[in-house]
Amino acid sequence: MAVSVAVLITVFSSLLHKNFSLQNQVNELQDQISKFNISIGATNSIEQEIDHLPSKNLKILALILSITLLSVPFLIFKYVDYVSKSRSLDNISEEVSLNKQLAYWVDLFLSVHPYAKPLGLLVATLLLICLGGLALYGVTDGSLAECLWLSWTYVADSGNHADSEGIGWKLVSVSISFGGMLIFAMMLGLVSDAISEKLDSLRKGRSEVVEKSHTLILGWSDKLGSLLNQLAIANESLGGGIVVVMAERDKEEMELDIAKMEFNFKGTSVICRSGSPLILADLKKVSVSKARAIIVLAEDGNADQSDARALRTVLSLTGVKEGLRGHIVVELSDLDNEVLVKLVGGDLVQTVVAHDVIGRLMIQCARQPGLAQIWEDILGFENCEFYIKRWPQLDGMQFEDVLISFPDAIPCGVKVASYGGKIVLNPEDSYVLQEGDEVLVIAEDDDTYSPAALPTVKEASFKNIARPARKSQKILLCGWRRDIDDMIVVLDAFLAPGSELWMFNDVLEKEREKKLTDGGLDINRLVNISLVHREGNAVIRRHLESLPLQSFDSILILADESVEDSAIQADSRSLATLLLIRDIQAKRLPFRDTQVHRGSFSQGSWIGDMQQASDKSVIISEILDPRTKNLLSMSKISDYVLSNELVSMALAMVAEDQQINDVLEELFAEEGNEIHIRQADLYLREGEELSFYEILLRARQRREIVIGYRFANAERAVINPPAKSERRRWSLKDVFVVIAEKDE
């Protein structure tokens, strides 16, 4: 037992000794490992320092490079300024310095190239990002890519630099943020300028009109309001149309003036553009090649200058490379210039000579009082007007049957295909419509009429009364027009032999003869009239009292040449002359309460009120301003002629259909067919019951076409009456409106 205990103690002692010896060895090994770790750490730190040495140099180089690039522009500017000053001292005769040349080149670059400003802003932004990225790379521990992205964030949002640490980082970030604010300020300025420029372009009418089949009006005059009104009425059946107006005026002013016009556009849109019709780029801006009609308005002012500008406009229009889809309607002021404009424009151009149209219309109205209202109804689109259309079902039918084939229209002529499309007014009854022929009618609209089955019309026999012989007349012209020589020629053709034409104005008699001769008038060749000259002022009463005003059949008050440039002044003069003449006539011829019958116009109707002062004279006033026309309409003292409105109506009608111009030219001419007002006793007896168709056929015995009538107690005539087959009782005081050849 004791031996066992001793053995165990010995074994335990040896094991304990070995444990202590092993622990000492472990401690020694740990000490050695610690020494080795220390030596390895020192080695790694040395290697890291060796590795970071080139990166730090690179960052310093990047910082220096960014500062250098930033200072280069300032150094260049200083150098240029120094060179400019030295050159100016060395060479006194040199006019332009180097810095001025550089400034000029920069300004030229920005002016010539439209995208120079945004391109320069983009380059400046990229330079700021790059220089800022290099500077950040020099003051931070980030990589170059990270610094470039950080630089962009500072440029885009100046508040991002709040997280910067260190003096260098903060200084660079603040500089980049400040540059970014400048960049975005310039960007906002460019965007604002671009938007302002675009809005200004729209406001001033510089944008392009993207339309087709529109009506284009070139120019601006006091006729524009009436013209737009007529075009709006013409387009009403189509649900409205597009009218483009281009003139050398501010777009806002044009739109404001059009907005003040007191009429309904009936769905028609009016687009205004600023530009010159003499510039092809401006013409293309309003889609001139796609317009269905182009109207060239005459300018207010000198007639020759206005017509010269119209001629240049036609030349510009014919020079459009794309060609013209529509026709050109040119308003001229002088008849002598018509040939030249047609020579330049050819078949593409239709002309309306305003002065000539109004002069001829005044003469017709002087011979037939009340004709002005009929012309207003026919020329305007508010009532009935001329239309030309082909009806194949009428081929092979005689014209006398065509006359009663339209319940809602009145045929007036035929566009003969075999004559090259010539329009024949009032043809023979025996003319047979051929293939390709078109029928000219008077109707309310182009879609309101069509041929129907022939009605049964009773042939009412009537004794054909011979046309009364024309009587000589005594006519007074108050005022002087530049085309008065043409009016004298027309009067000589219209009036009967032995007629007198008194000319009363303030032009000296010797000077009158010279002006008439220069205008191409040969006084010795006048057949039917003799001229009587009187000098005086038409607005001075004592001058007018020297004239036998009660003895004239007609008095024509002209818009005097001296004041025709101002419509208000011309109308004021005409109105004063009218009132003075009527007052003088009223005192010389006392009022008689008996009915006056001359040409079936009775007192209290149509022109009866203006015949109370004189049972012989009819006064026709040339009126330019619609406001003056309204005064005369209310006072009923003159059978007025509204020049601007009638010319606008003619322009609109020819713009809608250029063929109508041939019809109007014949009706206005001194030869051929014209519109007449006939007394009822030429076609019927007192109290006779007849339908309109029966009267129409009776008129054909006289080679006339009845287009309307006016009852004795009515104020206005009815053109293209409805219910043409309905019989009614007629009176000899009624009158009929017919198309017939000129009275012999």
Side-chain angles (χ1 to χ4, degrees), residues 335 355-365 490 668-670:
L335 185 62
H355 249 56
D356 182 62
V357 168
I358 296 306
R360 293 175 182 272
L361 189 54
M362 288 184 70
I363 293 171
Q364 290 189 15
C365 293
V490 175
F668 285 140
E670 61 270 20

Side-chain angles (χ1 to χ4, degrees), residues 80 84 87 94 96-113 116:
V80 170
S84 300
R87 284 185 179 181
E94 186 176 358
V96 182
S97 60
L98 183 59
N99 57 353
K100 289 185 178 180
Q101 290 182 357
L102 289 175
Y104 169 73
W105 291 336
V106 173
D107 180 69
L108 183 64
F109 176 75
L110 295 177
S111 302
V112 172
H113 301 282

